[in-house]
Amino acid sequence: MITKVTIDNMADVYELQKLFNVVFRQKDELIDTLTTNPYVQLYTYSIDKKVVGFIEYSIIYDRYELDNIYVLEEYRNKGIASCLISFMINEAQDNNITNITLEVRIDNDPALRLYEKYGFVKKAIRHNYYGDCDGILMEKEMM
Ligand SMILES: CC(C)(COP(=O)(O)OP(=O)(O)OC[C@H]1O[C@@H](n2cnc3c(N)ncnc32)[C@H](O)[C@@H]1OP(=O)(O)O)[C@@H](O)C(=O)NCCC(=O)NCCS
């Protein structure tokens, strides 16, 4: 099940904190974002009420920027990221978004393949974008 995270469903925020300790951001920062930034969209994917993945994207005028997508390791390769990406693409269609962009590490093969499967194409290389590694700018045109 996909659920929008808001400041009002704190249970999800606490669940996310467990994930974010590993890969993302601290609870206080997350709460601050949810409270002050209406352009950030954050959704969780749960199975039997357990949060196992999330997607975060930002609305920038008529563009979406995919900021993060994450699935707990033991739940990967079951189509969960596909559900989350499809959800974002449907939202983009409904909101007349013109394109979706993202940055990904050049060595992140699972993510690169995921994005290509959903129609994102490589647009530019960002040298040393991640310090130790190049980044790839990818774009999906919606129009
Ligand atoms: C990338 C990630 C989100 C994929 O999540 P997932 O739920 O396992 O993905 P799905 O099961 O929906 O797979 C969809 C497609 O992604 C690609 N893919 C996923 N895992 C892959 C792997 N280990 N190797 C190669 N391709 C892979 C495939 O194209 C797959 O389609 P297919 O099953 O028809 O081959 C997950 O590996 C993850 O959380 N990684 C760590 C966080 C991360 O790197 N996020 C991206 C930051 S830019």
Side-chain angles (χ1 to χ4, degrees):
M1 186 172 108
I2 295 177
T3 308
K4 184 174 173 67
V5 177
T6 68
I7 200 66
D8 297 322
N9 52 11
M10 293 299 289
D12 282 345
V13 175
Y14 289 129
E15 284 301 315
L16 282 169
Q17 157 79 352
K18 292 179 199 156
L19 301 180
F20 294 171
N21 268 347
V22 183
V23 293
F24 196 37
R25 53 169 92 139
Q26 298 300 318
K27 188 174 79 179
D28 289 350
E29 191 194 340
L30 174 65
I31 290 172
D32 188 49
T33 299
L34 292 173
T35 314
T36 61
N37 190 342
Y39 303 107
V40 169
Q41 303 290 303
L42 183 55
Y43 291 87
T44 55
Y45 188 102
S46 323
I47 297 175
D48 297 333
K49 296 190 178 168
K50 176 181 162 69
V51 174
V52 298
F54 70 85
I55 189 167
E56 179 184 0
Y57 57 91
S58 305
I59 306 166
I60 306 166
Y61 299 103
D62 61 349
R63 177 169 71 87
Y64 279 178
E65 171 85 18
L66 174 56
D67 299 311
N68 217 332
I69 182 165
Y70 181 80
V71 175
L72 280 182
E73 211 163 334
E74 58 269 36
Y75 289 88
R76 288 181 191 167
N77 294 306
K78 297 178 191 301
I80 292 171
S82 299
C83 285
L84 289 165
I85 291 249
S86 298
F87 175 84
M88 177 188 66
I89 290 170
N90 285 339
E91 287 289 303
Q93 268 160 356
D94 289 349
N95 290 297
N96 296 319
I97 293 298
T98 56
N99 64 342
I100 309 173
T101 55
L102 61 87
E103 302 276 356
V104 57
R105 289 175 65 100
I106 205 162
D107 60 0
N108 192 344
D109 204 41
L112 275 165
R113 288 190 191 204
L114 169 72
Y115 300 142
E116 280 171 347
K117 186 174 175 186
Y118 284 89
F120 287 84
V121 294
K122 295 173 185 167
K123 285 289 173 178
I125 301 279
R126 300 267 166 87
H127 293 291
N128 296 323
Y129 186 78
Y130 295 97
D132 60 335
C133 173
D134 290 348
I136 300 181
L137 170 68
M138 300 185 83
E139 178 186 36
K140 177 179 174 65
E141 290 193 16
M142 297 296 302
M143 297 283 175

